[in-house]
Amino acid sequence: MVIKDIIDILEGEVICEGDLNQEIKTACGSDMMSDVLAFVKDQSVLLTGLMNPQVVRTAEMMDMACIVFVRGKEPDQSIIDLAESRDITLIKTRFRMFTACGRLYANGLSGGTAV
């Protein structure tokens, strides 16, 4: 799956555009960045409702190409600027995290493993 597919599946709106053809192998839904750091493996998209620069920094550390903000949340300009400087795509979706993760899973994106 590529980021363009995620945008379509989640009826998302691009806030900050990176490489929309980047392949995404797994998804992670969390508002706790410590969990993301502990459990994310492989190339992932991060789904979160957390709105602070730490989200972008965590995504960068974990080599993630895309962050999806759930529940229609929109990041402030400092978060957008940070994502642009790191070439990370930011998307917002109206769906809640559970629904957004479920839609991606139903379309073939796995959650990876926690081990």
Side-chain angles (χ1 to χ4, degrees):
M1 181 177 296
V2 296
I3 294 175
K4 283 185 202 177
D5 299 326
I6 292 169
I7 295 166
D8 291 340
I9 292 165
L10 297 181
E11 300 172 14
E13 179 183 327
V14 177
I15 299 167
C16 170
E17 187 174 322
D19 179 4
L20 299 184
N21 292 309
Q22 172 75 39
E23 184 179 357
I24 301 296
K25 297 178 183 174
T26 61
C28 173
S30 182
D31 288 340
M32 294 186 63
M33 295 303 102
S34 59
D35 283 353
V36 175
L37 290 168
F39 298 116
V40 171
K41 306 285 187 255
D42 216 348
Q43 189 66 30
S44 297
V45 57
L46 174 61
L47 292 92
T48 189
L50 191 61
M51 307 299 315
N52 66 45
Q54 190 61 30
V55 173
V56 176
R57 291 188 186 103
T58 300
E60 179 186 26
M61 286 175 51
M62 301 308 293
D63 199 27
M64 296 175 158
C66 182
I67 300 168
V68 177
F69 295 106
V70 296
R71 299 186 301 275
K73 290 188 170 189
E74 191 154 349
D76 66 29
Q77 193 59 48
S78 67
I79 296 170
I80 295 168
D81 292 343
L82 186 58
E84 283 177 346
S85 71
R86 303 318 197 258
D87 198 31
I88 295 174
T89 299
L90 299 181
I91 301 166
K92 73 175 181 177
T93 181
R94 63 184 169 84
F95 296 115
R96 293 180 177 185
M97 190 178 315
F98 180 83
T99 303
C101 290
R103 288 176 72 102
L104 292 175
Y105 184 82
N107 281 276
L109 195 59
S110 76
T113 60
V115 186

